[in-house]
Amino acid sequence: MSLRRLAPPDVQPASFAFTAENAQWAKATIAKYPQGRQASAVISLLWRGQEQEGWVSHPMVESIAKMLNMPFIRVLEVATFYTMFNLQPVGTHLVQVCTTTPCWLRGSDAVVEACKKHIHPHPHTVSADGKFSWMEVECLGACVNAPML
């Protein structure tokens, strides 16, 4: 199991707010759930926030927690559990390389080396041109096509 944390404080933006259009969408999404079950919208709101900002920040988690009347830690648990949420800035194109056994046996280590050479030597780091970043992930669900990225 990988350790997932929010980006360090020096990377975090000062604040977060949905755009007017996204705020209206969020309000409509929350209204779809019965009274007392609005927390069920947490994944949808995190996803929309990530689409807007490119990644999930501490201020975003705080804002969504307030919108859903949830404790901050509960929203953070969702954001850190699901690898679909980027917890730090990523390039325009994020390359996810599966490094579990089936992919490793089929050459994922060579794919990781190519990422280190052409994108950045370290995962979770945006390339110099700001266009790419890469990360190792667990299963991408298509072992038959290994290595997956």
Side-chain angles (χ1 to χ4, degrees), residues 18 20-30 32 41 44-45 48-49:
F18 279 116
E21 179 183 335
N22 284 341
Q24 184 178 1
W25 173 89
K27 188 176 179 180
T29 299
I30 294 167
K32 292 178 184 178
S44 297
L45 270 61
R48 182 59 66 106

Side-chain angles (χ1 to χ4, degrees), residues 4-59:
R4 292 176 40 84
R5 303 246 188 241
L6 292 175
D10 62 319
V11 179
Q12 295 290 336
S15 63
F16 168 79
F18 279 116
T19 63
E21 179 183 335
N22 284 341
Q24 184 178 1
W25 173 89
K27 188 176 179 180
T29 299
I30 294 167
K32 292 178 184 178
Y33 296 93
Q35 188 62 31
R37 301 288 186 201
Q38 290 83 6
S40 299
V42 66
I43 290 177
S44 297
L45 270 61
L46 283 167
W47 186 254
R48 182 59 66 106
Q50 179 171 277
E51 285 180 333
Q52 177 181 307
E53 301 295 314
W55 62 293
V56 174
S57 65
H58 189 282

